[in-house]
């Protein structure tokens, strides 16, 4: 019976693919105000600005390629039942070959209706651009399928169940600043082997049982695989 390995990833996972993080020096939230581009109020106030912000990020995602950390995680499916729970809205885990990826904060390649009562209906975006003319079948403008600040995280319970059944939990590339997502690291069962991979892991607050690997995602994943296969 294969053990369950869960990866909980954040923006640092995609840094080596050239996609900037949010809170590192020069990160996205130094370039933009969250209130202007990543809240429901921002969408109501200036939908074109919000749509353009995500169009630019979608273009970058499409041009990016999975890095070796994404590929190593996908390769672990030979030895473990691997579930990826990601805060990232890029599709690099899927493009690397991971077969179980749960997006806590949405998926930039999908759109959803801005109208009421449209839960769980998503529309693939062809190419990088969503425009104001793109409407759902009910005639409401399409918006990026992204969980904005202040919105519910629909996949949270599913993510909690996955982490509660982990034999190995690998937290990689997240500053654990954003809740409720960050609270998931406390749900690993008592007998779970927990690791955190991050170049700044010595500045981290994680439960005391986490083993810290101070490295970037690719190097850290190589070291982790060494440790768990020894
Ligand atoms: N490899 C691994 N980790 C890295 C790398 C790298 N090459 N480069 C940076 N990091 C680490 C940083 O040290 C930091 O701890 O990645 C983390 C990035 O943290 P954030 O920028 O805060 O990104 P994240 O934790 O994913 O943000 C969570 O906040 O803005 C919201 O919804 C957005 O999902 C996002 C959430």
């Amino acid at each position: 019976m294969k053990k369950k390995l869960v990866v909980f990833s954040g923006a640092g996972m995609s840094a080596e693919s050239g996609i900037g993080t949010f809170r590192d020096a020069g990160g996205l939230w130094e370039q933009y105000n969250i209130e202007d581009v990543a809240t429901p109020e921002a969408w109501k106030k200036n939908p074109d600005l919000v749509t353009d912000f995500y169009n630019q990020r979608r273009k970058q995602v499409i041009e990016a390629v999975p890095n070796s950390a994404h590929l190593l995680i996908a390769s672990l499916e030979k030895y473990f039942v691997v579930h990826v729970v990601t805060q990232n809205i890029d599709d690099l885990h899927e493009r690397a070959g991971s077969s179980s990826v749960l997006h806590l904060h949405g998926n930039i390649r999908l759109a959803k209706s801005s109208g009421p009562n449209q839960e769980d209906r998503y529309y693939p975006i062809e190419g990088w651009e969503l425009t104001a003319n793109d409407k759902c079948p009910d005639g409401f403008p399409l918006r990026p399928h992204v969980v904005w600040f202040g919105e519910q995280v629909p996949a949270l319970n599913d993510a909690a169940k996955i982490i509660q059944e982990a034999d190995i939990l690998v937290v990689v590339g997240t500053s654990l600043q954003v809740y409720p997502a960050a609270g998931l690291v406390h749900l690993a069962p008592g007998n779970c082997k927990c690791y955190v991979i991050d170049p700044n892991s010595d500045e981290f607050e994680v439960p005391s049982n986490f083993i810290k690997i101070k490295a970037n995602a690719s190097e850290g994943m190589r070291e982790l695989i060494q440790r768990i296969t020894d």
Side-chain angles (χ1 to χ4, degrees):
M1 174 83 163
K2 286 183 182 176
K3 285 184 182 263
K4 282 186 183 164
L5 184 142
V6 178
V7 172
F8 180 55
S9 66
M13 182 78 221
S14 301
E16 291 159 88
S17 297
I19 298 178
T21 63
F22 295 97
R23 296 174 182 84
D24 286 309
L28 209 58
W29 298 144
E30 279 184 18
Q31 302 163 47
Y32 293 89
N33 278 328
I34 287 173
E35 298 71 26
D36 296 338
V37 292
T39 64
E41 295 74 22
W43 172 259
K44 286 192 190 73
K45 185 171 160 219
N46 191 339
D48 291 348
L49 176 71
V50 173
T51 298
D52 183 57
F53 172 73
Y54 286 98
N55 283 346
Q56 297 311 316
R57 293 183 62 201
R58 189 173 305 107
K59 199 169 182 194
Q60 198 188 31
V61 164
I62 291 171
E63 288 165 358
V65 292
N67 61 57
S68 52
H70 294 107
L71 295 168
L72 286 169
I73 289 167
S75 72
L76 285 174
E77 293 189 16
K78 289 196 286 290
Y79 310 107
F80 299 94
V81 174
V82 180
H83 293 289
V84 176
V85 174
T86 186
Q87 299 170 89
N88 298 340
I89 57 174
D90 66 53
D91 58 349
L92 296 179
H93 280 299
E94 291 91 335
R95 285 161 56 192
S98 284
S99 54
S100 166
V101 182
L102 182 66
H103 286 271
L104 282 171
H105 294 159
N107 178 339
I108 201 166
R109 306 299 300 270
L110 300 176
K112 67 181 194 178
S113 170
S114 55
N117 316 317
Q118 303 277 336
E119 282 63 43
D120 299 337
R121 273 186 253 171
Y122 304 113
Y123 307 91
I125 299 170
E126 294 309 314
W128 65 277
E129 198 175 14
L130 192 60
T131 70
N133 305 325
D134 292 317
K135 303 263 194 292
C136 79
D138 298 343
F140 295 104
L142 288 181
R143 52 161 279 192
H145 168 32
V146 174
V147 176
W148 286 326
F149 287 88
E151 293 190 312
Q152 293 293 313
V153 179
L156 191 67
N157 288 340
D158 289 345
K161 284 198 200 94
I162 289 168
I163 290 179
Q164 283 165 336
E165 292 176 0
D167 297 303
I168 300 172
L169 172 63
V170 186
V171 175
V172 50
T174 176
S175 63
L176 296 174
Q177 306 278 307
V178 174
Y179 286 81
L184 289 167
V185 300
H186 299 282
L187 299 183
N191 59 349
C192 177
K193 291 283 279 180
C194 299
Y195 300 85
V196 56
I197 298 172
D198 194 302
N200 298 314
S201 59
D202 50 5
E203 293 155 34
F204 256 74
E205 281 298 310
V206 285
S208 57
N209 63 314
F210 273 67
I211 297 164
K212 296 184 175 183
I213 299 176
K214 184 176 165 62
N216 66 26
S218 299
E219 187 49 47
M221 279 306 302
R222 279 191 285 275
E223 181 176 334
L224 172 96
I225 290 173
Q226 190 65 46
R227 285 169 179 245
I228 58 179
T229 48
D230 271 357

